[in-house]
Amino acid sequence: MDQFFFGEPGRRLYGCFHAAPPEREHDAVAVLVPSIGQEAIRGHRSLRLLAERLAKSGLSCMRFDLFGSGHSEGEDRECDFDTSIASIGSAVVEARERAASERVALVGMRLGGSLAVLYGAEVQATEWQVLWAPAVDGAAYLRDLASDHERLTRRRARTRPLPGPTELLGFSFSAALVGAIRDMDLTRIATAPGRHMLLTNSLQGAAIDPLGERLMRLDVEIEERPAPRHTVWKQRGLNVTVDHEFVEFVGGWLAAATA
Amino acid sequence: MNEETVAWAGGDLVGIVTYPAAAASISPTAFVLLGAGLLHSVGPNRLYVQIARRLAAHGAAVLRFDARGVGDSAASQRKADIAYDRRTEVEGATALLAARFGIKRFAFIGICSGATIAFRTALEEQRTVGVALANMDVGGFDARLDQFIAARHTTRYYSKVALFQPASWRRLLSGRSNYLKIVRSIVAGPLRLSSPAAADAPWVSQLVADLDALARRQVALLIVTGEIDPSADYVDMLRNATSTSRLAGIANLHLVRGGDHTFTLKAHQAELLTLLESWAARIMAQART
């Protein structure tokens, strides 16, 4: 595994590249798009294990942190949809160069899945996309985060919050980010984000079906799978959980799709 | 400010070093952030990234890294020998900083288990000039004492937090509370608070002796606890065992009002960052005199 910073000075992103063995290398590269805030921290281990699984099966893989998140430059309140989609673009360029392949598979967990769809629909469609419990209805996603935040922090209610951006589960969400998430409805995308897509339940009950229907109307070849059993992004404290079964399933699906 | 990825132990251990843009202004004291629980080196709520960048802005080189089996580092090669792993990991980290920046003075920072590692490291590493412990994990040495602390923690939660929460009263009045637990806490809590178990626990004596040893070496010790974190109860117990004035002479103690184990609220993160900046600034100033 190679770890490095890439991108323009002042807006550099942190990345890790997992190269497939030369004798097994597929003509494709996977780019794993994390969520933001607390979900990014909780999902880190799963995405790392997925990257290792993919590389071992022949698909080189790049993980990275969005601008304003993880080890990348920028503060959390500087993260918004524009910077995030630009981050995906930078990561795709970097991954293509390192893998010497133009064919890209985006894998997005939670809001990372939503951003992958928006990148594909608004910037450049990718050949494959895997959406791991994406947020389809942004307003509902925000309500879920706010509810978790209230449950976690109601014991600290005597502490006055700092003025400024919205706080959610330890992170500042700028007004621009909150607004963009609230306005997001993936069932209204106008262009196909990818050619072949694997969808999993968004945790919003039936919301996955309208997204699947929309994608099929855009002539995307989709496969749907029930929700992952473990909501690893909801883990709290200093523990980390991984849904090994789901990692194995996604790894197998992508390895077969890109072979 | 610069940030670089670094690796050692044959590439098995990876981290990021943050340091001032002007090489000539790098402090001779470097700071090492020890991982919190199983989270990778961004730290809880990305705190380690914030700490590293803040201290680098004041002139320090700061290294955050992933322990074996965590984050982006490789798995351990030695089964169930965590103590060996942690020791060699930190040795590698300090060697890297010494080689890269000529560092001869080190300060260690940690949250939860990271604080425990920082504390143990400071005792062994003679080049330590400072150690900052946030919500140090001190349980697991004495089951009876852990039960005592857990009961104290529960009593404190009910008396300082739940009593003032409308949601708690709604649960109480609607039949959704654990009434037995509440009664036990209210009735038995004060009795437990006066238990002699704490002061007599051998490991408390050892802990005080260790703190004294650091103080004799003039290691700048900062202990930060969140008010609703169990470590606050352990610090109270230490005060009872040693006396508040003696403990204050050994360490700079700070309680973050309403603070939880990972300093979830941004106001608490800001408080922790300010404390660390002041502590670090004093340490770096000492290096220049």
Side-chain angles (χ1 to χ4, degrees), chain A residues 197-220:
Chain A
M197 294 179 68
L198 172 66
L199 273 64
T200 66
N201 194 308
S202 67
L203 297 181
Q204 293 168 46
I208 192 67
D209 294 322
L211 176 58
E213 284 173 11
R214 181 73 192 134
L215 291 171
M216 281 195 289
R217 263 187 251 122
L218 294 172
D219 290 328
V220 177

Side-chain angles (χ1 to χ4, degrees), chain A residues 149-162:
Chain A
H149 179 82
E150 194 280 330
R151 254 197 313 275
L152 181 66
T153 60
R154 65 182 175 210
R155 291 171 152 205
R156 302 81 156 132
R158 285 195 290 166
T159 303
R160 190 163 298 173
L162 292 176

